[in-house]
């Protein structure tokens, strides 16, 4: 009887240790995607994870090769009516002009200072580049990090009156967590500034700085007056991580082809093509913003309005159909868009 | 008595589970650096790991921030009398000329084809750049990977008649493993080509492609005749990952300051300065090649011969002394240099 009574005690203790040790895989057995409605999009994600991670599957992928790439603006958080980073840059213009008053009467700074939204909406790509160069460079990487940190923890989106980081899509956070729980390394692959996104990516997405691929500017190593080494951000673009730049950036920063890629616009087309050109099971998904009530509706695919930025043209929808990419309907596939929804 | 007899049984079972779960830290209790002689260099490594990874230590570093950077040529493998990658490029010149016969009478290709080692030794940096551009670009990243893979698994060093990858330093492999077993992410940070080193880094160092930082060339995304997406290597240098380029490359690719950095030459000075400028415990080490018998001896620090490439000048030795960097004497600190030694 000694043995009989001692084993259950021991068994319970062992079970507890085992449960603690195995808590991550255990999680995968409940619904890993609770904010998703049942449907082809959710199913595509679950099927992909099973095909690539269950031992013995014909399409099993060794853990070291499990890479998933997520575009950011419009894919993991709200990008309308303006990218958060562009808002950041515009809001910094008065500070830049304070330091260099001679810019006050020079375009495009003059227009930005006027606060005339109609005139600002007409700024060209070239104007915007001048503003980005003036507001994102000429300071050390540490100063830049501190400034973005301050802004991102206080600035609010005008529609929801919430921090931009509160406007991340809960369903995409669940996909990231689900992939990571199954041995995937998750990367942000954004047209936005690499250093900008790195400031909050770990806290918001659980993605460390070294897994943020974005538009990259050069830095210059030098020394402060104290002799302390510093890196200064230069107005020199090394790689524009958008469109064809996305697979180029992925090769540069990761050196492996992703198995899964998530986007929402023409800027993501090449990344999805590149991902899909690999062998075995691959998952390519595009978020379609077709929910004007809970978020925004824009295309112009499927007759949705053309909002000019972050567009999802009909040609992209056609390519998706032809290549077996899955289009995620925010309206139909997402039970909940934001974590703060009741 | 039931309790008294049952607990030890249970205790043993729990101890077994605990030992399995905690096997990595348990490893640290045997000698993690068996190829190192006892001395200040070995002690500096062990002290650093303990200070930064033992819970409750005043200098504890959260696991996510544990980054260690290793130069390659002369730090993790033999780089004399010529960098392996330079040998690769020179050996590829006849193939390039076969494809483009007009190069046969153009310098520096003419000199390389002559096989005249004395003339080749006089090639300038500019000549070398022409050779690198011709031999490392103009092909897809997949073709390049296949070619390097073929070369690195067959080409042999003329002194040892062994594969270059057999000439890695066993003590440094042990440091990498020891750091990884204690939660560090290990990176190669090399002046060599990023794509070149990525081909074998995982197999040789246990370092995946995404943790190789090297000199970076641009690629261009396009399509093969079949429509398949391809990335072609361009003769466009994005970053020369040497000297000041090393901290710049670390910021670009990792976005965090390393806690430990290992080098062996002037090319690593800025990386060590940058690493050492961080707070808390930091480990900066320089390999001094002072073992002409088992490997090579060169400085010119400490009166060692000046071999012109990969030099360790007296000024670097002085800076190391002033800043508390540890100089590793191959002769005195390394019990064994290569794994193949008896």
């Amino acid at each position: 009887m000694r043995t009989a009574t001692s084993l259950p005690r021991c068994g319970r203790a062992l079970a507890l240790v085992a449960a603690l040790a195995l808590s991550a895989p255990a999680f995968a057995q409940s619904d890993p995607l609770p904010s998703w409605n049942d449907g082809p999009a959710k199913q595509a994600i679950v099927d992909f994870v099973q095909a690539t991670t269950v031992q013995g599957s014909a399409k099993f992928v060794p853990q070291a090769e499990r890479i998933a790439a997520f575009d950011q603006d419009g894919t993991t958080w709200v990008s309308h009516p303006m990218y958060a980073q562009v808002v950041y840059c515009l809001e910094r213009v008065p500070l830049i002009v304070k330091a260099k008053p001679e810019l006050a009467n020079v375009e495009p700074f003059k227009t930005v200072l006027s606060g005339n939204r109609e005139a600002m909406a007409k700024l060209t790509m070239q104007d915007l580049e001048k503003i980005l160069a003036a507001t994102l460079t000429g300071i050390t990487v540490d100063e830049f990090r501190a400034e973005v940190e301050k802004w991102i923890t206080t600035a609010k989106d005008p529609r929801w009156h919430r921090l931009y980081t509160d406007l991340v899509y809960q369903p995409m956070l669940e996909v990231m967590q689900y992939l990571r729980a199954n041995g995937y390394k998750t990367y942000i692959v954004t047209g936005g500034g690499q250093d900008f996104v790195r400031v909050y990516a770990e806290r918001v997405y659980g993605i460390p700085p070294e897994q943020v691929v974005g538009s990259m500017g050069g830095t210059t190593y030098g020394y402060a007056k104290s002799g302390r080494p510093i890196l200064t951000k230069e107005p020199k673009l090394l790689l524009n991580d958008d469109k064809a730049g996305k697979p180029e950036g992925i090769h540069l920063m990761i050196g492996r082809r992703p198995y899964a890629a998530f986007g929402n616009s023409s800027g993501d087309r090449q990344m999805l093509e590149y991902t899909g050109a690999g062998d075995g099971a691959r998952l390519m998904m595009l978020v379609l913003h077709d929910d004007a009530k809970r978020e925004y509706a824009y295309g112009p695919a499927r007759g949705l309005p053309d909002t000019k930025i972050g567009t999802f043209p009909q040609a992209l929808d056609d390519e998706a159909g032809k290549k077996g990419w899955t289009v995620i309907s925010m309206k139909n596939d997402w039970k909940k868009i934001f974590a703060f929804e009741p």
Side-chain angles (χ1 to χ4, degrees), chain A:
Chain A
M1 283 301 287
R2 269 174 190 167
T3 316
T5 52
S6 68
L7 274 179
R9 291 178 64 97
C10 184
R12 276 196 298 277
L14 277 170
L16 182 68
V17 172
L20 288 170
L22 301 172
S23 55
F27 166 70
Q29 303 201 349
S30 62
D31 183 355
L33 303 170
S35 298
W36 290 71
N37 289 315
D38 288 334
K42 181 175 183 172
Q43 197 58 48
I45 300 166
V46 172
D47 288 350
F48 167 78
V49 167
Q50 302 228 324
T52 57
T53 66
V54 172
Q55 278 282 0
S57 157
K59 294 179 171 174
F60 180 80
V61 176
Q63 184 161 340
E65 292 173 27
R66 294 182 198 159
I67 303 283
F70 293 81
D71 167 58
Q72 179 185 241
D73 293 294
T75 299
T76 62
W77 77 355
V78 173
S79 64
H80 268 256
M82 203 180 257
Y83 296 145
Q85 190 180 352
V86 174
V87 178
Y88 169 81
C89 291
L90 293 176
E91 290 187 6
R92 275 194 53 77
V93 166
L95 291 167
I96 299 294
V97 173
K98 207 172 165 186
K100 293 185 187 171
E102 66 274 19
L103 292 177
N105 289 307
V106 177
E107 289 298 356
F109 304 99
K110 195 177 163 186
T111 295
V112 176
L113 287 175
S114 75
N116 181 338
R117 289 198 162 251
E118 215 165 303
M120 277 161 73
K122 285 181 189 149
L123 291 175
T124 64
M125 214 44 216
Q126 220 175 3
D127 290 331
L128 204 59
E129 273 167 23
K130 278 182 198 160
I131 294 166
L132 297 186
T135 53
L136 300 174
T137 68
I139 54 178
T140 70
V141 299
D142 293 337
E143 287 164 349
F144 178 74
R145 189 185 301 119
E147 282 177 5
V148 175
E149 182 65 41
K150 191 175 159 191
W151 184 82
I152 200 80
T153 51
T154 50
K156 290 188 174 175
D157 171 272
R159 172 170 162 188
W160 283 277
H161 308 292
R162 286 182 176 269
L163 298 177
Y164 291 97
T165 51
D166 287 345
L167 300 179
V168 296
Y169 305 138
Q170 178 61 23
M172 294 306 270
L173 292 181
E174 291 170 4
V175 174
M176 288 179 175
Q177 285 156 5
Y178 179 43
L179 287 168
R180 287 196 293 262
N182 284 280
Y184 274 87
K185 260 191 186 174
T186 51
Y187 283 78
I188 294 286
V189 179
T190 175
Q194 187 162 286
D195 283 348
F196 185 87
V197 178
R198 278 172 167 172
V199 174
Y200 55 83
E202 190 145 36
R203 177 170 56 81
V204 173
Y205 301 120
I207 292 182
E210 61 268 29
Q211 286 164 226
V212 174
V213 180
S215 290
M216 305 162 203
T219 58
T220 300
Y221 179 83
Y223 304 90
K225 278 179 194 152
S226 65
R228 191 170 183 273
I230 46 172
L231 287 168
T232 304
K233 288 175 73 66
E234 300 293 342
K236 182 195 170 193
L237 187 68
L238 294 181
L239 190 137
N240 180 6
D241 195 58
D242 194 31
K243 300 191 172 74
K246 290 209 175 191
E248 293 164 10
I250 287 170
H251 177 73
L252 182 70
M253 295 286 295
I254 313 177
R256 302 188 198 258
R257 191 192 302 266
Y259 275 82
F262 302 79
N264 77 304
S265 78
S266 294
D268 304 308
R269 181 167 72 82
Q270 290 87 343
M271 174 169 74
L272 268 64
E273 289 174 352
Y274 180 64
T275 301
D279 298 331
R282 306 275 165 169
L283 179 66
M284 283 68 65
M285 303 193 92
L286 287 167
V287 176
L288 182 69
H289 294 255
D290 58 356
D291 194 330
K293 205 176 151 197
R294 294 190 298 170
E295 203 242 14
Y296 292 102
Y298 51 96
R302 305 187 186 184
L304 291 163
D306 185 351
T307 50
K308 308 296 179 200
I309 72 157
T311 61
F312 190 131
Q314 190 54 49
L316 184 63
D317 198 23
D318 294 344
E319 184 171 354
K322 223 163 57 185
K323 295 193 170 153
W325 304 347
T326 304
V327 174
I328 299 164
S329 159
M330 289 182 82
K331 194 172 172 180
N332 302 320
D333 288 314
W334 288 358
K335 203 176 286 178
K336 189 182 209 175
I337 294 183
F338 303 114
F340 58 76
E341 287 171 23

